[in-house]
Amino acid sequence: MRKLTLMTWVLCMVSIVQAQEKFTLNGYIRDASNGEELIGVTVFVEETKTGVISNPYGFYSITLPQGTYHIRYSFIGMENQVKEIVLDKDISMNIDLNLQATELTEVVVTGEREDEQVVNIQMSKNEIDMAQVKKLPALFGEPDIIKTIQMLPGVISAGEGTSSFFVRGGSADQNLILIDEAPVYDPSHLFGLFSVFNADVIKDSELYKGGIPSRFGGRLSSILEVRTKDGNNKEFGGEAGIGLLASSLMLEGPIKKEESSFIVSARRSYVDLFLKAADQDNLVYFYDVNAKVNWRANNKNRFFVALYAGRDDFSFGDDFGFDWGNKTGTFRWNHLFNDKLFSNTSLIASRFDYGLASTSESDGFEWDSFITEYSFKQDLNYFFNPKLSLDFGYHLTYRQFSPGIINPDEGSIFKRTELQEEFALDHAFYAGFEQQITDRLSVQYGARLSIFQNIGEQMVYEYQDISNNVEPIRVDSTYYDSFENIKTYVNLEPRFAARYILNESSSIKASYNRMVQNTHLISSGTVPLPFNTWAPSSVYLQPQLADQFAVGYFKNLENNKYELSVEAYYKDMQNVTDFADNARIFFNKDLATEFRQGSSEAYGLEFMAQKKKGALTGFVSYTWSKVTRLVPEVNQGREFFANYDRRNSLNVVATYEYNDKWTFGGNFTYGTGRPITLPAGSYEFGDGYIPDIITERNGYRLDDFHRLDLSATLTPRKNTGKKYQTSWTFALYNAYSRKNPFSVYTRVQMDDDDNIIGDGTQKEARLIYLFPILPSVTYNITF
């Protein structure tokens, strides 16, 4: 009897151990048509009602007790797959998903699954669908994700003809813009008419406005992460587009089928060719090139190399010219240490430079400036179980800042001037958990430790007085050797987000994040120009800090056909960088004496409604916002509006699939006027005269901005069954030819014949606007 009892006890314990034993299912999820990894695929276990999503590299891992399960793989636009898995050991399973018979290309700004905005912890994030971007009206027929981003809630545009955008009260330099993990310091072509992102090569793009994960840092306001395609590893193909101002070509295909592939794209404008044909000496053009190769050595190791180069060149005859450009390179190694630990190792290089030149006999010169950075990133994901995962890693960046070298021509009035270079090391350690507490409550929590070092080689000067209107006087100096530490700043950046599901179609979310920025844009204008420069945190520049709180309500209707959301945010910023009134920025060897740092406060409400299914799709976004600054010795120490403050912003975007031949698109944008600084008048005393007295920073506002754009895309039915597909896109930009104010300047008052009125002391304001109605046509071919 005792023997039977003991045997029974042993068998029970074995059964319990076996019941508690867990195994892991993992792998990569790909598009069956081209081998591209799919980001954000939902992997759902029907028996446990739990699941995970694939990470930014298409990898998933889920750990479950031993048993038989039905695993559903789902991704919008793809056919669902259900696999029956007998999980009695660790299993590696790659999944290829097929496109749905009727592809859901009408989704404009899409999540990974139909109810993603309700169930995902992440708030304040938008994903941009490139298929839809290509169907929307575009300036000169050139599709541009930046122009789409400018219409999202919480994002403000400075106006027409600019690639700058302002997120939740932050300035344009407070956005971190990444292409394949490499930073892009100036995203504009032709002064902002186009961006550096070629729509043909973009795979995925995400904009984080709040609740920013701990793996990101370095900017205060937003992260725009753009990933390029890996290249079709199944078959050779490509796309080409011919527009009014620029044309593009993209080619992709396998190097070794199923194992390695490439993609390369190039784009160039040809305004300069028209100018030459018209016998003009002026030169205006831009180009960019993207290239990428990848090799899947085995299921545990994959390697990528991605390159980007772009440049703009302007010249006005033989008298004056300038150029600027970005170059980036990324080497990436994905490695699977075991069933639960995924690693991404990246080596990154980025360079932004610009040059100015004048060939005049009396004032000829060349001016060159650049910023270069090299980064090492080690990012790891550990999947404990379906309810708990961890992201952690270390980032190291070395930066070189060269504000300018001026080389005069022989006989020029200029002297050779070399502004002192600066150097920096930026370290970051981070960890972030995502945890499901209950069926309704999930949280993200973590932190990022930023350690920033301003290092030599550099001569640091001490000044007697750096207050306004006082010529700086150097009283002492200290020399620092190469890599010698000058100043160190250590900042902890906590991050937190939570989501509570109210019911199957609605949820509430909240988030908090602190962000730190140690690179500062040297600019006094609203729109960053390509010949503005950057400086690191230093003895005279403290790191910029931002604390942001956000809450939101999210609701889906009619089986996820409609999405509604409302978010409120408050952002407090410290050490925001500005300049003293009447600051001298260019060619200033004592620029540190012009820096002023203060505080900024921003808050607002964001509304968004989307229709995601059916022939008519699109979204409506509305933002009410306010942003002010208070900086000592600026605006006489009084609070003032930031020059990108717009109280109201409304955007309507729509696409209508009329039939399989015609697709129509349109967008309408409206914004109240932004602040500008104008002279309040002039002052006479005796025989003296002081013109253009400025009494208040940003004390005036431009008129309201609004514009309607329309487009029609024709895809001929004769494409059916052919190896290549063609389409025509016809567009009207600014359909009712609104004269939207771009800027205002003052000049001496003149009559209709440009004769000066009176004694020349009377001034008048003049409006600058850029574009009347502009028709365009683009021819596209895919093969």
Side-chain angles (χ1 to χ4, degrees):
M1 187 72 176
R2 291 182 58 191
K3 187 175 291 187
L4 180 62
T5 303
L6 179 62
M7 182 64 68
T8 303
W9 180 83
V10 171
L11 290 175
C12 288
M13 292 303 296
V14 170
S15 299
I16 292 172
V17 170
Q18 288 180 340
Q20 292 177 339
E21 191 170 6
K22 295 183 178 182
F23 298 100
T24 299
L25 171 68
N26 66 43
Y28 290 87
I29 306 175
R30 306 184 178 102
D31 184 333
S33 65
N34 54 29
E36 292 272 355
E37 266 74 18
L38 295 175
I39 303 166
V41 177
T42 299
V43 182
F44 184 76
V45 184
E46 294 183 351
E47 284 76 10
T48 64
K49 306 301 181 186
T50 59
V52 297
I53 62 172
S54 59
N55 73 5
Y57 312 102
F59 177 78
Y60 75 97
S61 177
I62 187 167
T63 301
L64 299 164
Q66 179 179 344
T68 300
Y69 298 96
H70 292 84
I71 312 294
R72 184 171 74 243
Y73 300 86
S74 60
F75 188 80
I76 197 164
M78 298 287 184
E79 293 181 353
N80 290 352
Q81 279 195 31
V82 178
K83 298 285 187 180
E84 183 178 86
I85 305 295
V86 178
L87 199 61
D88 55 5
K89 60 183 178 180
D90 292 333
I91 298 175
S92 179
M93 178 181 292
N94 297 331
I95 299 295
D96 290 334
L97 295 183
N98 295 304
L99 291 172
Q100 288 179 338
T102 303
E103 187 176 352
L104 298 181
T105 55
E106 67 268 15
V107 179
V108 181
V109 182
T110 177
E112 296 87 352
R113 49 185 277 185
E114 291 188 350
D115 60 349
E116 182 72 10
Q117 82 146 359
V118 172
V119 301
N120 195 351
I121 300 177
Q122 184 69 53
M123 65 182 298
S124 308
K125 185 182 86 167
N126 297 105
E127 299 192 6
I128 317 302
D129 176 47
M130 291 312 303
Q132 186 64 21
V133 169
K134 290 184 177 183
K135 294 181 180 180
L136 292 174
L139 181 62
F140 297 112
E142 193 68 24
D144 193 340
I145 64 168
I146 295 292
K147 298 301 187 287
T148 301
I149 286 170
Q150 290 173 341
M151 292 186 287
L152 294 174
V155 181
I156 300 297
S157 167
E160 290 182 310
T162 172
S163 293
S164 299
F165 58 95
F166 308 86
V167 178
R168 292 187 170 179
S171 56
D173 63 298
Q174 293 173 353
N175 304 315
L176 178 61
I177 301 173
L178 303 172
I179 181 168
D180 289 321
E181 302 184 27
V184 175
Y185 278 88
D186 190 309
S188 66
H189 280 313
L190 295 179
F191 288 109
L193 295 184
F194 308 119
S195 79
V196 298
F197 300 113
N198 185 347
D200 293 339
V201 77
I202 296 175
K203 171 184 179 179
D204 176 79
S205 57
E206 299 174 323
L207 177 70
Y208 294 85
K209 301 174 294 186
I212 297 174
S214 56
R215 72 177 184 274
F216 293 118
R219 296 293 190 275
L220 293 193
S221 290
S222 76
I223 309 295
L224 174 59
E225 187 176 28
V226 177
R227 303 181 187 91
T228 60
K229 298 175 181 177
D230 297 331
N232 194 322
N233 66 12
K234 308 281 187 178
E235 59 184 6
F236 179 79
E239 295 181 28
I242 302 174
L244 292 180
L245 289 187
S247 290
S248 61
L249 174 65
M250 183 273 285
L251 301 173
E252 61 178 336
I255 299 173
K256 185 175 182 181
K257 200 168 183 179
E258 306 286 349
E259 290 187 13
S260 58
S261 62
F262 76 93
I263 185 170
V264 60
S265 71
R267 181 174 57 159
R268 192 192 190 280
S269 67
Y270 30 70
V271 179
D272 55 316
L273 304 181
F274 295 141
L275 292 175
K276 286 181 181 179
D279 200 25
Q280 296 286 324
D281 293 333
N282 298 335
L283 178 68
V284 180
Y285 78 93
F286 77 84
Y287 72 85
D288 49 38
V289 178
N290 295 83
K292 193 174 188 179
V293 295
N294 77 90
W295 172 47
R296 188 181 300 127
N298 51 51
N299 209 46
K300 290 192 173 183
N301 294 281
R302 189 169 183 182
F303 302 90
F304 305 79
V305 176
L307 303 172
Y308 168 81
R311 194 146 205 93
D312 285 71
D313 201 338
F314 283 70
S315 65
F316 301 93
D318 295 327
D319 298 326
F320 183 75
F322 50 94
D323 64 302
W324 73 91
N326 296 276
K327 294 179 182 178
T328 71
T330 304
F331 167 79
R332 203 173 78 227
W333 170 34
N334 289 167
H335 176 66
L336 185 60
F337 284 101
N338 55 48
D339 297 327
K340 295 185 177 184
L341 183 60
F342 178 89
S343 165
N344 177 68
T345 305
S346 300
L347 299 175
I348 300 165
S350 177
R351 179 184 174 95
F352 167 70
D353 69 273
Y354 69 85
L356 301 174
S358 171
T359 57
S360 171
E361 292 183 3
S362 61
D363 58 4
F365 71 93
E366 290 185 358
W367 178 20
D368 297 298
S369 177
F370 65 85
I371 176 173
T372 300
E373 70 173 64
Y374 303 96
S375 297
F376 164 79
K377 292 184 179 182
Q378 180 61 67
D379 302 297
L380 299 111
N381 312 119
Y382 189 80
F383 304 88
F384 292 93
N385 55 57
K387 295 185 178 182
L388 180 64
S389 62
L390 167 67
D391 295 341
F392 63 102
Y394 168 70
H395 297 169
L396 171 65
T397 300
Y398 169 79
R399 295 188 181 92
Q400 178 183 5
F401 302 81
S402 177
I405 300 174
I406 303 165
N407 292 304
D409 293 342
E410 186 175 353
S412 173
I413 61 174
F414 291 103
K415 296 181 180 180
R416 189 180 190 280
T417 303
E418 184 171 352
L419 303 181
Q420 189 170 210
E421 290 188 343
E422 296 185 82
F423 305 87
L425 282 175
D426 199 344
H427 312 259
F429 301 86
Y430 75 91
F433 290 89
E434 181 169 329
Q435 185 173 7
Q436 182 181 338
I437 306 297
T438 69
D439 291 341
R440 293 177 180 267
L441 177 64
S442 294
V443 295
Q444 285 180 341
Y445 50 94
R448 183 181 182 91
L449 181 64
S450 168
I451 305 173
F452 184 87
Q453 296 174 280
N454 180 206
I455 60 175
E457 179 182 13
Q458 186 181 343
M459 183 73 76
V460 177
Y461 296 99
E462 184 179 340
Y463 299 92
Q464 180 178 345
D465 191 351
I466 58 173
S467 61
N468 278 357
N469 303 317
V470 175
E471 188 70 23
I473 299 174
R474 297 176 180 177
V475 296
D476 199 2
S477 63
T478 305
Y479 173 76
Y480 293 87
D481 208 346
S482 294
F483 286 91
E484 185 177 356
N485 188 59
I486 301 172
K487 184 71 174 179
T488 298
Y489 292 100
V490 180
N491 285 283
L492 183 66
E493 306 174 48
R495 313 287 172 86
F496 177 79
R499 179 228 64 211
Y500 185 80
I501 295 178
L502 300 174
N503 52 51
E504 63 180 10
S505 64
S506 63
S507 65
I508 54 174
K509 303 180 186 181
S511 68
Y512 162 76
N513 58 248
R514 162 164 280 209
M515 306 294 289
V516 176
Q517 180 166 337
N518 284 291
T519 53
H520 309 262
L521 182 67
I522 309 303
S523 168
S524 60
T526 306
V527 180
L529 297 174
F531 35 86
N532 290 327
T533 57
W534 296 76
S537 294
S538 63
V539 174
Y540 293 100
L541 268 180
Q542 297 186 59
Q544 301 179 65
L545 307 174
D547 293 285
Q548 182 182 179
F549 303 84
V551 294
Y553 172 74
F554 303 84
K555 175 72 174 177
N556 285 11
L557 300 171
E558 294 187 22
N559 193 29
N560 303 306
K561 184 177 183 179
Y562 297 94
E563 290 185 354
L564 304 175
S565 66
V566 57
E567 295 189 37
Y569 68 87
Y570 174 81
K571 183 186 293 183
D572 177 67
M573 291 169 277
Q574 300 296 322
N575 302 329
V576 294
T577 304
D578 213 312
F579 293 90
D581 293 332
N582 305 308
R584 184 168 64 90
I585 296 178
F586 297 110
F587 307 119
N588 187 352
K589 287 188 174 182
D590 298 301
L591 184 62
T593 64
E594 304 284 8
F595 295 141
R596 300 293 183 269
Q597 290 190 291
S599 61
S600 181
E601 182 182 54
Y603 48 90
L605 284 171
E606 302 169 2
F607 300 87
M608 191 168 188
Q610 298 187 71
K611 184 174 183 291
K612 304 188 69 174
K613 298 179 181 179
L616 177 65
T617 58
F619 68 84
V620 177
S621 71
Y622 170 75
T623 304
W624 182 96
S625 60
K626 184 178 182 180
V627 53
T628 57
R629 286 191 167 195
L630 181 62
V631 183
E633 300 184 43
V634 174
N635 198 42
Q636 302 176 24
R638 297 174 299 178
E639 186 178 74
F640 59 95
F641 290 111
N643 51 17
Y644 44 85
D645 174 70
R646 286 191 192 273
R647 194 68 66 248
N648 299 278
S649 177
L650 172 69
N651 296 281
V652 182
V653 175
T655 299
Y656 181 60
E657 302 268 1
Y658 179 69
N659 54 32
D660 60 353
K661 186 176 180 181
W662 284 100
T663 300
F664 299 97
N667 51 256
F668 174 78
T669 182
Y670 168 83
T672 47
R674 65 174 180 82
I676 59 170
T677 300
L678 290 176
S682 58
Y683 179 66
E684 295 185 21
F685 59 101
D687 296 330
Y689 171 69
I690 301 177
D692 298 342
I693 296 176
I694 296 175
T695 59
E696 185 177 4
R697 177 79 68 99
N698 298 332
Y700 298 86
R701 285 187 181 267
L702 294 172
D703 290 338
D704 291 356
F705 175 98
H706 51 89
R707 191 188 71 243
L708 174 67
D709 307 323
L710 301 170
S711 70
T713 300
L714 170 64
T715 305
R717 291 194 175 101
K718 63 182 180 180
N719 283 336
T720 305
K722 290 190 174 182
K723 292 185 177 180
Y724 64 90
Q725 308 289 313
T726 61
S727 66
W728 291 86
T729 300
F730 308 94
L732 279 180
Y733 184 88
N734 196 5
Y736 52 83
S737 202
R738 160 75 173 176
K739 292 183 178 180
N740 281 305
F742 178 76
S743 186
V744 172
Y745 70 96
T746 59
R747 71 171 190 181
V748 175
Q749 193 171 14
M750 296 183 179
D751 60 23
D752 293 339
D753 297 323
D754 290 336
N755 297 314
I756 296 176
I757 297 176
D759 59 1
T761 62
Q762 301 299 315
K763 295 296 185 72
E764 62 181 0
R766 305 287 292 181
L767 169 69
I768 299 175
Y769 75 95
L770 295 182
F771 305 116
I773 183 172
L774 288 175
S776 65
V777 59
T778 304
Y779 177 72
N780 301 290
I781 182 170
T782 302
F783 53 91

